[in-house]
Amino acid sequence: MRLVSTCVAVLAATAALGTALPAQAAAPALQIVKIYYDSPGADRRSNDSLNAEYVTLLNTTQKAIDLEGWTLRDKTGYSYAFGPDVILGARKRISIRSGQGGDGTSSVYWGRKQYVWNNDQDTAYVRKADGKLVDSCSYRATRSAYVTC
C-alpha cells in the first residue's frame, strides 16, 4: 500500500511540475528478433547446414512492408538485398537463410556457399532501400547457438 501511494505522489508531483515521464522508444517497423549463428553439427558448408544459419525479422506494424531494396548485412559487410515482390505482412516474420533454396513467404535464401554469421560474435544490420538504419543486433557467443534480439 505504501508503494502505491508513493508512486501516486511521484506522478502527482511530476504532473504539477509540468514535466513528462520519459517515453518508451518505439519498436522499429522491421525488427531483428533472432540470429541463429551456429548451425547444428560440424561446419561442413552443406546446404542444409548453411540454411540452419539464419536471421528472423518481424514486421512490428499493422501494415504490410514492401522490402524491395532493403538489406540485411553483417559487420564484415556481407549483404543480402531483398528482391522485388517480397512483401512482409503485418505482424509477420521472415527468415533469411544463408544457403540456397526457393524463396517463400516465411523464408528467403541468400544463395551463399559459405557461412555469414561468425560463431563468436557479430552484428546484424537492417537498412531501408535508401540506406537508413532500421535495426541492429549484436551478439557474443554463449552456450546457445542463437540469440534473441
Side-chain angles (χ1 to χ4, degrees):
M1 186 69 161
R2 183 178 169 96
L3 179 60
V4 171
S5 59
T6 301
C7 289
V8 170
V10 168
L11 289 172
T14 301
L17 292 172
T19 58
L21 296 173
Q24 293 289 332
L30 193 65
Q31 185 175 18
I32 301 167
V33 293
K34 184 176 187 178
I35 303 172
Y36 206 116
Y37 56 84
D38 188 5
S39 58
D43 290 346
R44 290 196 164 83
R45 296 187 193 136
S46 71
N47 196 53
D48 286 343
S49 180
L50 287 166
N51 284 334
E53 178 186 82
Y54 60 89
V55 173
T56 301
L57 306 176
L58 169 67
N59 175 352
T60 63
T61 73
Q62 298 290 336
K63 295 184 198 177
I65 299 175
D66 183 351
L67 295 177
E68 182 175 359
W70 288 49
T71 59
L72 169 69
R73 78 172 186 87
D74 76 335
K75 197 169 191 172
T76 306
Y78 295 121
S79 184
Y80 173 84
F82 288 90
D85 303 323
V86 181
I87 311 260
L88 186 58
R91 305 279 185 205
K92 297 293 183 187
R93 295 172 186 251
I94 192 164
S95 294
I96 300 85
R97 298 183 180 275
S98 296
Q100 300 176 27
D103 292 346
T105 56
S106 62
S107 288
V108 291
Y109 295 83
W110 205 309
R112 295 184 48 83
K113 294 188 180 200
Q114 300 212 15
Y115 299 97
V116 175
W117 307 103
N118 297 328
N119 289 351
D120 58 347
Q121 65 182 18
D122 210 335
T123 303
Y125 305 91
V126 174
R127 295 183 185 275
K128 289 184 175 183
D130 65 6
K132 181 180 178 187
L133 181 66
V134 175
D135 195 21
S136 66
C137 177
S138 296
Y139 64 87
R140 286 190 180 275
T142 63
R143 291 182 191 190
S144 179
Y146 65 89
V147 63
T148 52
C149 305

